[in-house]
Amino acid sequence: MSAPVTDKEKRKQISVRGIAQVENVANVKKSFNRHLHYTIIKDRHVSTQRDYYFTLANVVKDHLVSRWIRTQQHYYETDPKRVYYLSLEFYMGRSLTNTMINLGIQGACDEAMYQLGLDIEEMEEMEADAGLGNGGLGRLAACFLDSMATLAMPSYGYGIRYEYGIFKQKIENFEQCEEPDDWLRYGNPWEKARPESTVPVHFYGNVVYTAEGGRKWVNTEVVLAMPYDNPIPGYGNNVCNTLRLWSAKSPLSFNLKVFNTGDYIQSVLDRNIAENISRVLYPNDNMFEGKELRLKQEYFLCAATLNDVVRRFKASKFGSREVSRTNFDLMPEKVAIQLNDTHPAMAIPELMRILMDEEHLAWDEAWKVTTKCCAYTNHTILPEALERWPVTMLQELLPRHLEIIYHINHLHMEQVRAKYGDDAEKLRQLSCIEEEGEKRVNMAHLAIIGSHAVNGVAFIHSELIKKHLFRPFYEYWPEKFQNKTNGITPRRWLLLCNPMLADLISEKIGDDWPVHLDELAKLKEWAADPRFQDEVMKVKQNNKNKLAEYLKEATGIDINPCSIFDIQVKRIHEYKRQLLNILHVITLYNRIKKDPNAPFTPRTVMIGGKAAPGYYMAKQIIKLFNRVGNVVNNDPMVGDKLKVVFLENYRVTLAEKIIPAADLSEQISTAGTEASGTGNMKFMLNGGLTIGTLDGANVEMAEEMGNDNIFIFGMTVDDVEAVQAKGYNAYDYYNACPELKQVIDMIRDGFFSPGNEEDFKDVVDLLLHNDRFLTLADYKSYIAAQDEVSTTYNNTAKWAEMAIHNIASSGKFSSDRTIAEYAREIWGMEPNYEKLPDPHHVDGKETSPE
């Protein structure tokens, strides 16, 4: 076990983050004192850690704003094509460290705080996570913003400024409880409100004919959308893009009728109703909940954003709100709109409404513009995740949009008829209106019809949507379908979270890799070099020691830092099969109990992740894991051979602590259910080995690193289809495997819930009678793979070599590569590796941002 890193050593680690210049340090100190005094309005006697955090954030922001303004000026001067990334979720995490790194001022800030006698790490801990997302989809959007800025692409993220992000998870009495995430309580130093750019958004009302024979939406209720702009700095290129988040405000004239009746107080109180639209993020991942408030959120985002998009297209001159462009045929040459899943699919009818009802284009013209601008990314093949809005709800809330959707479908059906004749089944499959049962609009079908490109997020996922989910559409429009394998930003997921590994890599191959991640392939040269292996394992051990210390403080559990850190962190869901992991833990426990003196490779099994508050089975899974942990961790016969830890309140900031310390990454979804996964890539980049099925991006990871460097197990997609065709009977596996039978029986008989034997009856019932995800069918193969993990771990040189091959094969999984592909193949744009000029250079000399 290596010793903890000393302060002195920590301060030596500067290769990637740059040596702090003396004058820069002096400037930071001066700026810090000024902000503490003039912005925070405190002195050193009464300042808290939070005051210091806000002060440092303002210092860092000073270095950002000139780049932000310059970047926007540059876009106005050059009038490039702009990409608008629309997402209901942006899971950003913290901004302070990331901003310092991307601006290249981390060294100077670090040194300045040290000289002022302040602990920068304690200040960083004061920042609240911007938790405006549930999981993969929202974090992907955040990584994409970082890559678009780093590739100098004129781009804008557009989302909602939820007052409450993803709930804070507490474990009480072994179960998940939810607390609201009041992330804005102390203010957000990174955002800038832009009340002058507030736009109206309409709901309800009815549609009438105009004198010219057009259609007009009237008698609507108005909610105002106020934008808050957040800076998105690129890495080392002086580019700073914008994430614009909309907040709902009640109009001043709200409910005037009530004023006349004299109930003035009530009418002011009722303003809350309008503002509820941006109050809270829906906490569902891979699950559609057809609530009116959610539909309002989706339309609110689309309407406010498209108002901006059209305004910016029309007024192309800098600083001018004058209309200087009225030819909308040019719009697709200047505007790309990417829909992150179907949540923003109302952008399609909304753009049609603006172009026809407000800009007076004919239908055919408007439709051509809309389809050329819009593109749709599909994120899941689980049927329960697909959005299907009842027609009755749309009719009431968005009557004009329902008309437009009907007409889109009508014209589309005519074209389908022209190709297939009166084939009722084909017409049904290709319609975006579902007639069975309650009449609904299928938003995925609408998104495909209204987009020029549709993509999946990993090769296997893109193949599956062509083969199954959207097969009729693929056969009708094969040219629309593409793949764009997800990626992660190496700035946050290596440079920021694992500085010791980053420095080790830079010593070997230089420091171009954060922007050209394929450079990591050069490390393969040293994969078998015992000295390099030793250095890599030392860094891993250091990260493990740090995590063990953190978890001891957080949970009170003593973790053996030399054990395998076996980690599964992701949303809790049946398809992700945390249950399979639990079955393995109990199997290990039984083996120790059966023969306490047999050789055993020590393990710490950690699971982290949130369950949607209304998802009963996911909450049972958390409870079972915690109950199993309670038995295992308190059994003296087990000692430190096996520990079970639930990682409470998993979020971006906790991921940054966990991922660098992982030995083993669990990616064990049933083949054909995980669209891509991105956590898998983060572990790989940080030298964790993967145990996984051939699902999502695991397939491409195995391809990149070779099967020798990953533990693949379980059924393939074809095997799964074969088992389902034959009819899955869990009892076949239960009866054929004594170890498995023992484990299931223990859960059933209340071994882990003494006094409450029935506690996990539903879990056992699920596994044995209605498990859509075939958990028991993969049990034997999973246990065998886990046994191989243990054997391999005992051969340190072999394990280290595999870890290095993982790191060296991560190049493909940079979100820079993903974004470059979107740019070239969907948006018609080119990534750019040039730097913008430094905003502070005057006659070749850098000046301070003051």
Side-chain angles (χ1 to χ4, degrees):
M1 207 168 115
S2 58
V5 187
T6 65
D7 241 16
K8 188 159 168 291
E9 282 174 310
K10 221 195 287 179
R11 291 152 55 67
K12 253 181 18 202
Q13 292 162 3
I14 48 170
S15 57
V16 180
R17 290 175 301 289
I19 294 163
Q21 303 290 324
V22 175
E23 64 271 28
N24 292 353
V25 174
N27 278 337
V28 170
K29 285 162 73 177
K30 199 166 94 188
S31 177
F32 185 89
N33 285 325
R34 187 171 54 84
H35 274 297
L36 186 60
H37 193 86
Y38 289 106
T39 311
I40 309 302
I41 315 180
K42 291 235 184 147
D43 65 23
R44 290 287 293 265
H45 302 298
V46 293
S47 297
T48 62
Q49 260 329 319
R50 180 168 285 106
D51 294 325
Y52 292 141
Y53 155 66
F54 275 108
T55 305
L56 182 57
N58 277 289
V59 172
V60 171
K61 203 160 59 172
D62 285 349
H63 289 257
L64 196 64
V65 288
S66 42
R67 289 172 171 87
W68 199 3
I69 291 170
R70 279 288 182 92
T71 302
Q72 303 311 313
Q73 286 172 339
H74 174 71
Y75 293 155
Y76 276 105
E77 284 156 11
T78 53
D79 188 30
K81 184 168 189 177
R82 293 167 159 91
V83 58
Y84 295 94
Y85 195 84
L86 271 65
S87 181
L88 262 278
E89 303 186 17
F90 286 93
Y91 206 169
M92 303 295 288
R94 291 175 176 164
S95 293
L96 177 61
T97 317
N98 184 250
T99 305
M100 293 191 297
I101 288 172
N102 281 11
L103 295 183
I105 59 172
Q106 194 186 19
C109 292
D110 222 334
E111 180 60 30
M113 294 308 101
Y114 181 82
Q115 289 182 17
L116 289 169
L118 297 171
D119 185 335
I120 196 166
E121 281 184 25
E122 281 182 26
M123 290 154 70
E124 288 164 348
E125 286 299 317
M126 298 313 299
E127 182 172 3
D129 271 44
L132 307 185
N134 276 284
L137 173 147
R139 184 53 234 175
L140 184 79
C143 283
F144 278 3
L145 293 181
D146 184 81
S147 286
M148 289 187 282
T150 297
L151 297 180
M153 296 181 51
S155 58
Y156 301 78
Y158 272 93
I160 293 178
R161 181 180 178 267
Y162 301 108
E163 215 172 294
Y164 294 89
I166 185 65
F167 61 85
K168 183 177 181 193
Q169 179 191 56
K170 283 265 173 73
I171 301 298
E172 283 170 19
N173 201 16
F174 309 107
E175 300 185 69
Q176 167 178 297
C177 303
E178 301 89 25
E179 285 182 357
D181 164 44
D182 190 5
W183 72 290
L184 292 169
R185 181 171 50 227
Y186 297 104
N188 172 5
W190 306 106
E191 68 183 7
K192 177 71 184 87
R194 303 282 188 197
E196 70 282 7
S197 300
T198 296
V199 298
V201 175
H202 299 263
F203 293 100
Y204 304 108
N206 57 291
V207 189
V208 296
Y209 279 101
T210 63
E212 302 76 41
R215 301 290 277 161
K216 193 177 175 191
W217 186 16
V218 296
N219 301 321
T220 57
E221 286 183 20
V222 175
V223 175
L224 301 179
M226 184 193 289
Y228 286 75
D229 287 350
N230 298 263
I232 306 292
Y235 178 73
N237 64 353
N238 293 321
V239 169
C240 186
N241 285 337
T242 302
L243 165 61
R244 175 163 278 191
L245 300 176
W246 299 103
S247 183
K249 295 284 284 178
S250 177
L252 285 177
S253 59
F254 181 74
N255 221 345
L256 265 184
K257 297 180 289 299
V258 186
F259 282 108
N260 304 333
T261 67
D263 202 346
Y264 161 73
I265 295 292
Q266 194 53 46
S267 69
V268 172
L269 300 185
D270 287 347
R271 294 168 61 82
N272 264 332
I273 296 163
E275 296 173 0
N276 277 337
I277 291 176
S278 57
R279 194 80 68 204
V280 59
L281 167 75
Y282 271 85
N284 303 324
D285 190 70
N286 279 297
M287 185 68 200
F288 171 57
E289 188 176 355
K291 295 279 196 284
E292 184 182 58
L293 180 61
R294 171 66 170 194
L295 180 57
K296 278 185 172 172
Q297 288 181 340
E298 293 182 355
Y299 177 66
F300 175 76
L301 168 64
C302 294
T305 300
L306 282 167
N307 185 289
D308 254 19
V309 170
V310 171
R311 172 183 59 75
R312 215 173 268 124
F313 167 72
K314 287 165 71 174
S316 59
K317 286 209 277 295
F318 178 59
S320 150
R321 294 192 163 233
E322 303 293 307
V323 172
S324 62
R325 222 184 339 226
T326 49
N327 179 4
F328 281 90
D329 292 347
L330 301 175
M331 195 164 156
E333 292 167 33
K334 293 295 180 187
V335 170
I337 296 167
Q338 192 67 35
L339 308 175
N340 195 26
D341 214 320
T342 57
H343 315 145
M346 289 303 292
I348 291 165
E350 173 63 9
L351 184 52
M352 287 297 288
R353 185 194 68 77
I354 294 171
L355 293 176
M356 294 188 303
D357 299 2
E358 293 175 15
E359 302 296 338
H360 308 297
L361 269 68
W363 178 283
D364 292 350
E365 286 306 299
W367 185 242
K368 209 177 289 175
V369 172
T370 299
T371 53
K372 281 183 178 168
C373 286
C374 293
Y376 157 55
T377 302
N378 171 270
H379 280 273
T380 182
I381 45 186
L382 295 182
E384 64 266 34
L386 297 177
E387 296 197 293
R388 299 134 105 178
W389 290 107
V391 162
T392 49
M393 193 185 286
L394 284 163
Q395 178 63 58
E396 189 194 7
L397 195 68
L398 301 167
R400 177 63 178 127
H401 298 78
L402 184 59
E403 275 188 0
I404 291 169
I405 291 167
Y406 276 145
H407 197 59
I408 288 170
N409 200 52
H410 166 72
L411 296 177
H412 170 60
M413 289 288 94
E414 284 189 348
Q415 288 174 329
V416 172
R417 243 184 227 102
K419 180 165 182 174
Y420 293 122
D422 265 327
D423 180 336
E425 185 55 13
K426 272 275 185 277
L427 290 166
R428 186 188 68 76
Q429 290 173 341
L430 287 164
S431 173
C432 71
I433 309 294
E434 297 180 353
E435 306 278 359
E436 309 84 64
E438 187 182 14
K439 205 167 171 184
R440 293 171 176 270
V441 176
N442 182 314
M443 298 306 280
H445 291 185
L446 176 63
I448 295 168
I449 296 164
S451 294
H452 69 279
V454 176
N455 72 281
V457 289
F459 176 76
I460 187 175
H461 169 234
S462 297
E463 291 304 303
L464 285 170
I465 64 177
K466 294 190 296 194
K467 194 173 153 199
H468 296 297
L469 185 64
F470 299 142
R471 182 174 192 157
F473 284 95
Y474 175 64
E475 288 168 352
Y476 184 74
W477 271 316
E479 69 284 357
K480 276 194 187 189
F481 287 78
Q482 302 190 19
N483 172 244
K484 296 286 169 279
T485 298
N486 283 163
I488 57 172
T489 170
R491 273 76 61 181
R492 184 174 293 267
W493 296 114
L494 180 47
L495 208 47
L496 181 155
C497 71
N498 201 345
M500 287 187 286
L501 182 59
D503 282 343
L504 189 53
I505 291 168
S506 293
E507 273 168 35
K508 281 287 183 209
I509 64 169
D511 47 20
D512 285 343
W513 60 266
V515 184
H516 301 281
L517 200 63
D518 37 13
E519 294 265 312
L520 292 182
K522 293 177 180 170
L523 292 172
K524 287 182 183 170
E525 197 185 315
W526 293 285
D529 171 2
R531 278 195 54 192
F532 189 58
Q533 289 179 354
D534 188 47
E535 290 180 297
V536 168
M537 294 314 280
K538 243 199 202 122
V539 166
K540 179 64 76 181
Q541 189 59 59
N542 235 307
N543 291 331
K544 287 172 72 173
N545 295 348
K546 261 165 72 176
L547 181 62
E549 211 177 299
Y550 172 84
L551 291 174
K552 167 73 176 160
E553 203 173 307
T555 66
I557 300 170
D558 262 311
I559 292 165
N560 173 1
C562 299
S563 62
I564 301 177
F565 280 19
D566 170 346
I567 304 185
Q568 185 176 21
V569 281
K570 49 187 78 249
R571 286 299 291 255
I572 311 294
H573 203 296
E574 287 159 73
Y575 87 86
K576 294 179 186 283
R577 295 203 298 192
Q578 283 91 355
L579 275 174
L580 185 56
N581 193 344
I582 295 172
L583 297 182
H584 173 242
V585 171
I586 301 172
T587 305
L588 291 182
Y589 174 71
N590 289 340
R591 287 179 181 177
I592 294 170
K593 295 294 277 186
K594 189 176 173 188
D595 186 356
N597 299 316
F600 186 90
T601 308
R603 270 198 201 231
T604 303
V605 180
M606 311 181 206
I607 293 183
K610 292 173 183 175
Y615 188 173
Y616 168 72
M617 192 52 69
K619 289 185 144 183
Q620 285 293 99
I621 292 168
I622 292 176
K623 187 178 181 180
L624 175 60
F625 183 71
N626 284 320
R627 279 288 192 182
V628 170
N630 189 47
V631 169
V632 172
N633 297 342
N634 293 304
D635 190 324
M637 204 183 281
V638 174
D640 68 356
K641 288 180 184 171
L642 181 61
K643 286 282 188 264
V644 176
V645 182
F646 187 81
L647 301 164
E648 188 175 88
N649 199 32
Y650 181 63
R651 59 200 185 282
V652 174
T653 294
L654 189 52
E656 293 164 5
K657 294 179 168 71
I658 292 162
I659 289 168
D663 291 309
L664 187 67
S665 154
E666 301 259 0
Q667 309 296 336
I668 58 178
S669 52
T670 312
T673 62
E674 187 73 89
S676 164
T678 47
N680 45 5
M681 303 167 187
K682 292 161 195 168
F683 285 106
M684 176 186 181
L685 179 61
N686 284 276
L689 304 191
T690 300
I691 183 167
T693 51
L694 284 174
D695 197 20
N698 298 355
V699 177
E700 289 159 83
M701 285 164 50
E703 234 167 68
E704 292 294 302
M705 71 178 82
N707 281 333
D708 296 350
N709 295 303
I710 186 168
F711 302 96
I712 294 290
F713 75 93
M715 296 176 288
T716 62
V717 167
D718 291 344
D719 296 336
V720 168
E721 285 176 15
V723 167
Q724 284 167 335
K726 158 172 147 310
Y728 170 66
N729 181 4
Y731 279 99
D732 295 346
Y733 304 93
Y734 169 81
N735 290 319
C737 177
E739 264 196 320
L740 172 59
K741 184 177 189 308
Q742 183 190 2
V743 169
I744 299 278
D745 291 352
M746 286 165 77
I747 301 172
R748 184 198 60 204
D749 299 339
F751 183 87
F752 300 103
S753 50
N756 282 31
E757 281 69 26
E758 297 282 274
D759 236 1
F760 299 114
K761 182 180 158 305
D762 294 335
V763 173
V764 173
D765 215 41
L766 171 82
L767 287 172
L768 291 177
H769 299 114
N770 42 27
D771 178 8
R772 295 160 57 202
F773 303 106
L774 319 181
T775 308
L776 302 196
D778 272 343
Y779 171 83
K780 258 181 100 157
S781 170
Y782 180 55
I783 298 296
Q786 287 285 20
D787 291 344
E788 194 194 334
V789 168
S790 291
T791 308
T792 310
Y793 188 76
N794 291 322
N795 179 348
T796 309
K798 171 85 177 111
W799 188 275
E801 185 174 351
M802 290 172 74
I804 294 164
H805 273 292
N806 269 262
I807 299 165
S809 308
S810 298
K812 172 178 179 177
F813 304 107
S814 170
S815 45
D816 297 349
R817 186 265 320 149
T818 311
I819 286 298
E821 290 180 7
Y822 275 96
R824 295 185 175 120
E825 296 163 27
I826 297 181
W827 303 332
M829 299 166 74
E830 264 307 306
N832 177 4
Y833 293 92
E834 306 287 297
K835 262 179 90 158
L836 281 184
D838 193 301
H840 304 311
H841 272 285
V842 183
D843 304 329
K845 182 174 177 296
E846 174 145 355
T847 62
S848 136
E850 296 167 53

